[in-house]
């Protein structure tokens, strides 16, 4: 049931209006539940105020005020997060950055752009490409903000060639929890002047500081792009090909693996057909660069595919066919959601263990009776896994999901993997992360948290943060899990 706040007279809330001069940029009663959740909408938190800042000064004044009054603050971008990182708790403030969404400039001489954190990824990519530049980070959710991408170190399909968001963040303007403003990094390509505080902020899920400006590295726009679909009789053959492709240094932009049973879901959902329907597994690759370079790399790719026993190599020169193939790849998660509620995972294992991990999942699916859909980024070992609810009621779903996740995450770590490659920890993965991670690592992370945010007001209890006002965070997780949006009532 939606929470409705009574009229508020708290002094700290009244003081917000002296910081934010336009009353329409402050909401207190009621707050729309979409601002209290993430993209999935299954965990609904609590807050007393929703604020839309438009400047670094406003953010600084707001955080100084929150720090003085011990008010929890939850930074928020577009709300596309999948692990509860934007779910607030307590009687605090949700700080929404959707109105700090300006591209502040492009410096052609240093190949950098400066943007505010609320800039939408796809809009920035379009802006850069129209000017002959290229911003490579390409996570699946193009409506996410740049600030959100930085906070989770978002990856995506292009990571195998170009790396992840971290590799393109050169500088950040930050506001600390007590309101102090600082800049870390800049337009210099090298910097060994002390500890790299910028790198600590990237991927910290809003727990250390609030990002108010971003200096991003750009590269020249590639001349051309071409995709190739390789079909196999087994996933193992496909994964073995990936290792040889990387060793051959033919430099694909993306290398995606998909099993036939997963493709079938998207075909049914979109009413489209995938080429080479008699295969058991596929690799979908993209190459970009100069035309001659691409052609040479594809010729070498064909030789590798032949050596590895591929059924076929299909060069997708027809743009419509290529677009249709990538549309099917892009709809895999949506096609699952159309059938049932699902829990999305983004586990990473070493690239030579992908087939072992996926085979383990397929066996576990049969043993445990829960549908598990695997696909992902073969070039960097990032396995996306949809845990499908099916007809389970709430109690069965929570029990079975928890039991299966414990098994799956333990297997991932056993293979040398980790709990997340792109989505972050949030609150959904905390207990599995804590169980599998060395306490010394977690302790050091929390010492860093203490140094940045001594009162623990920023996204407290999220990600690696193990304390909330002197207690563990389990009570917070329970509170958010027992509150449901109306979307949950029909999700099964």
């Amino acid at each position: 049931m939606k929470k409705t706040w009574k009229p508020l007279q708290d002094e700290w809330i009244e003081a917000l209006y002296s910081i934010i001069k336009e009353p329409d940029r402050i909401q207190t009663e009621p707050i729309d539940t979409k601002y209290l959740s993430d993209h999935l909408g299954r965990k609904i938190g609590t807050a007393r105020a929703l604020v839309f800042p438009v400047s670094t000064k406003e953010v600084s004044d707001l955080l100084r005020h929150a720090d003085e009054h011990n008010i929890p603050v939850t930074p928020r971008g577009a709300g596309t997060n999948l692990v509860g990182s934007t779910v607030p708790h307590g009687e605090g403030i949700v700080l929404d950055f959707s109105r700090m969404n300006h591209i502040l400039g492009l410096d052609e001489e240093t190949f950098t752009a400066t943007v505010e954190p609320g800039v939408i990824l796809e809009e920035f990519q379009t802006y850069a490409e129209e000017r002959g530049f290229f911003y490579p980070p390409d996570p699946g959710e193009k409506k996410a903000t740049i600030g959100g991408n930085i906070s989770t170190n978002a990856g995506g399909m292009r990571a195998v060639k170009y790396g992840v968001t971290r590799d393109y963040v050169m500088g950040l303007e930050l506001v600390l929890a007590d309101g102090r403003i600082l800049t870390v990094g800049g337009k210099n390509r090298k910097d060994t002047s002390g500890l790299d505080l910028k790198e600590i902020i990237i991927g910290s899920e809003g727990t250390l500081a609030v990002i108010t400006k971003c200096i991003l590295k750009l590269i020249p726009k590639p001349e051309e792009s071409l995709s190739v679909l390789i079909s196999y009789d087994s996933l193992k053959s496909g994964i073995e090909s990936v290792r040889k492709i990387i060793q051959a240094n033919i430099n694909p932009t993306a290398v995606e693996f998909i099993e036939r049973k997963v493709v079938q879901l998207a075909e049914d959902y979109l009413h489209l057909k995938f080429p080479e329907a008699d295969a058991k597994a596929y690799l979908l690759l993209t190459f970009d660069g100069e035309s001659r370079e691409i052609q040479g790399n594809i010729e070498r790719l064909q030789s590798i595919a032949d050596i590895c026993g591929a059924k076929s190599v299909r060069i997708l020169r027809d743009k419509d066919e290529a677009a249709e193939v990538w549309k099917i790849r892009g709809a895999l998660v949506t096609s699952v959601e159309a059938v049932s509620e699902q829990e999305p995972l983004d586990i990473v294992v070493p690239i030579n263990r992908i087939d072992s991990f996926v085979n383990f999942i397929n066996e576990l699916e049969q043993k445990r009776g829960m549908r598990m859909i695997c696909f992902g980024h073969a070039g960097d070992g990032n396995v996306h896994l949809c845990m499908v609810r099916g007809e389970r009621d709430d109690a069965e779903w929570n029990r079975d999901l928890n039991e299966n996740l414990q098994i799956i995450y333990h297997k991932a770590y056993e293979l040398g993997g980790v709990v997340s490659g792109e989505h972050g920890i949030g609150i959904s993965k905390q207990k599995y992360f804590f169980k599998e991670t060395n306490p010394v690592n977690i302790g050091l992370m929390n010492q860093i948290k203490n140094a940045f945010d001594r009162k623990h007001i920023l996204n407290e209890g999220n990600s690696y943060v193990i304390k909330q006002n002197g207690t563990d965070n389990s009570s917070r997780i329970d509170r958010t899990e027992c509150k449901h949006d109306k979307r949950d009532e029909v999700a099964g």
Side-chain angles (χ1 to χ4, degrees):
M1 183 175 178
K2 188 176 180 181
K3 178 79 172 178
T4 302
W5 296 109
K6 296 179 180 179
L8 302 171
Q9 302 299 327
D10 304 67
E11 288 185 7
W12 74 262
I13 292 178
E14 292 299 322
L16 295 179
Y17 292 92
S18 66
I19 299 171
I20 306 296
K21 302 302 183 183
E22 298 166 311
D24 68 325
R25 291 196 282 119
I26 301 174
Q27 296 179 23
T28 57
E29 49 172 323
I31 297 173
D32 191 318
T33 54
K34 74 179 182 180
Y35 295 105
L36 303 176
S37 189
D38 61 3
H39 175 73
L40 297 177
R42 296 201 289 265
K43 295 177 173 66
I44 310 298
T46 58
R48 299 291 295 279
L50 168 66
V51 180
F52 298 86
V54 295
S55 71
T56 300
K57 185 180 186 307
E58 285 186 348
V59 175
S60 175
D61 291 344
L62 284 164
L63 287 180
R64 185 178 298 109
H65 178 64
D67 186 66
E68 289 173 356
H69 293 83
N70 298 309
I71 302 164
V73 176
T74 303
R76 177 186 177 85
T80 59
N81 185 262
L82 297 173
V83 294
S85 295
T86 55
V87 177
H89 73 284
E91 307 296 292
I93 300 170
V94 173
L95 210 54
D96 186 290
F97 284 89
S98 59
R99 302 191 193 188
M100 290 183 68
N101 61 352
H102 300 95
I103 297 172
L104 302 175
L106 189 152
D107 185 341
E108 295 188 5
E109 294 185 354
T110 61
F111 282 74
T112 62
T114 303
V115 306
E116 291 182 322
V119 170
I120 300 300
L121 172 64
E122 66 179 0
E123 294 176 3
F124 176 63
Q125 289 176 324
T126 299
Y127 170 90
E129 290 180 31
E130 287 175 347
R131 289 157 179 79
F133 293 92
F134 190 52
Y135 181 68
D138 194 41
E141 180 50 77
K142 306 302 186 291
K143 301 291 185 183
T145 62
I146 296 294
N149 286 170
I150 293 171
S151 294
T152 57
N153 189 29
M157 299 180 192
R158 295 175 183 159
V160 64
K161 177 176 181 178
Y162 291 112
V164 295
T165 298
R166 180 183 303 280
D167 301 304
Y168 297 88
V169 179
M170 295 186 65
L172 297 171
E173 180 185 78
L174 306 171
V175 181
L176 297 179
D178 60 8
R180 288 178 293 170
I181 302 170
L182 72 156
T183 299
V184 294
K187 294 184 179 181
N188 297 306
R189 292 298 176 115
K190 290 184 176 181
D191 182 357
T192 59
S193 307
L195 296 180
D196 194 339
L197 299 179
K198 167 178 62 70
E199 293 297 313
I200 295 174
I201 296 298
I202 298 169
S204 63
E205 298 183 67
T207 60
L208 298 180
V210 172
I211 299 168
T212 50
K213 287 188 180 68
C214 322
I215 300 174
L216 305 174
K217 180 173 72 174
L218 302 175
I219 64 174
K221 182 181 177 181
E223 177 183 299
E224 187 179 333
S225 178
L226 187 62
S227 294
V228 179
L229 181 69
I230 310 177
S231 62
Y232 297 89
D233 283 325
S234 71
L235 178 63
K236 182 177 177 62
S237 297
I239 299 304
E240 288 176 352
S241 293
V242 173
R243 293 197 291 275
K244 295 185 184 301
I245 289 167
I246 294 174
Q247 289 170 351
N249 195 30
I250 62 176
N251 214 16
T253 309
V255 185
E256 298 291 293
F257 76 86
I258 322 170
E259 291 187 284
R260 176 64 207 171
K261 66 175 186 176
V262 182
V263 169
Q264 184 68 53
L265 283 172
E267 286 180 327
D268 294 343
Y269 175 73
L270 295 173
H271 304 293
L272 296 174
K273 288 297 181 184
F274 209 69
E276 317 299 340
D278 61 339
K280 294 288 176 53
Y282 307 91
L283 290 182
L284 179 57
L285 302 92
T286 297
F287 295 85
D288 65 15
E290 295 182 354
S291 179
R292 183 189 302 177
E293 175 192 8
I294 292 174
Q295 186 57 44
N297 285 335
I298 288 178
E299 289 174 2
R300 292 161 68 192
L301 173 68
Q302 289 176 306
S303 297
I304 293 169
D306 289 341
I307 292 170
C308 293
K311 287 174 62 65
S312 67
V313 177
R314 191 183 188 100
I315 303 173
L316 303 176
R317 299 189 186 279
D318 184 285
K319 291 186 178 180
D320 290 337
E321 182 182 37
E324 193 166 291
V325 168
W326 279 106
K327 186 175 182 179
I328 290 172
R329 162 60 184 90
L332 297 181
V333 173
T334 306
S335 65
V336 175
E337 290 175 340
V339 175
S340 171
E341 179 183 336
Q342 55 97 16
E343 183 76 9
L345 311 183
D346 65 319
I347 291 167
V348 182
V349 296
I351 59 173
N352 65 326
R353 308 309 294 272
I354 294 174
D355 59 320
S356 298
F357 183 71
V358 174
N359 287 335
F360 173 82
I361 295 299
N362 289 337
E363 292 171 6
L364 186 67
E365 177 182 39
Q366 297 300 316
K367 181 179 179 181
R368 301 282 300 182
M370 177 180 285
R371 197 170 190 187
M372 304 177 190
I373 308 297
C374 278
F375 56 93
H377 314 322
D380 58 21
N382 198 170
V383 179
H384 287 278
L385 174 58
C386 299
M387 308 292 291
V388 183
R389 176 171 178 163
E391 300 300 320
R392 292 171 174 82
D393 62 27
D394 287 348
E396 291 172 326
W397 171 232
N398 291 331
R399 181 196 66 231
D400 293 352
L401 179 63
N402 177 59
E403 290 176 356
N404 285 325
L405 290 182
Q406 290 191 56
I407 296 169
I408 288 169
Y409 284 126
H410 181 72
K411 183 63 176 180
Y413 276 87
E414 189 178 82
L415 293 173
V418 292
V419 68
S420 175
E422 297 179 328
H423 300 165
I425 303 299
I427 58 178
S428 299
K429 300 179 183 178
Q430 277 182 320
K431 61 183 176 183
Y432 311 107
F433 172 69
F434 291 153
K435 183 175 181 180
E436 300 292 345
T437 304
N438 188 329
V440 176
N441 293 42
I442 295 172
L444 287 171
M445 292 178 196
N446 279 270
Q447 288 181 43
I448 293 171
K449 167 70 172 175
N450 294 337
F452 275 87
D453 178 13
R454 69 191 190 286
K455 292 186 178 180
H456 282 220
I457 67 167
L458 288 176
N459 241 3
E460 169 68 350
N462 205 321
S463 190
Y464 59 88
V465 181
I466 61 175
K467 291 186 177 181
Q468 177 185 322
N469 298 326
T471 61
D472 67 39
N473 59 356
S474 59
S475 60
R476 180 211 168 176
I477 296 172
D478 291 340
R479 281 204 304 278
T480 56
E481 287 184 344
C482 71
K483 296 176 182 292
H484 296 283
D485 191 349
K486 288 183 179 179
R487 281 170 285 187
D488 275 323
E489 296 172 7
V490 297

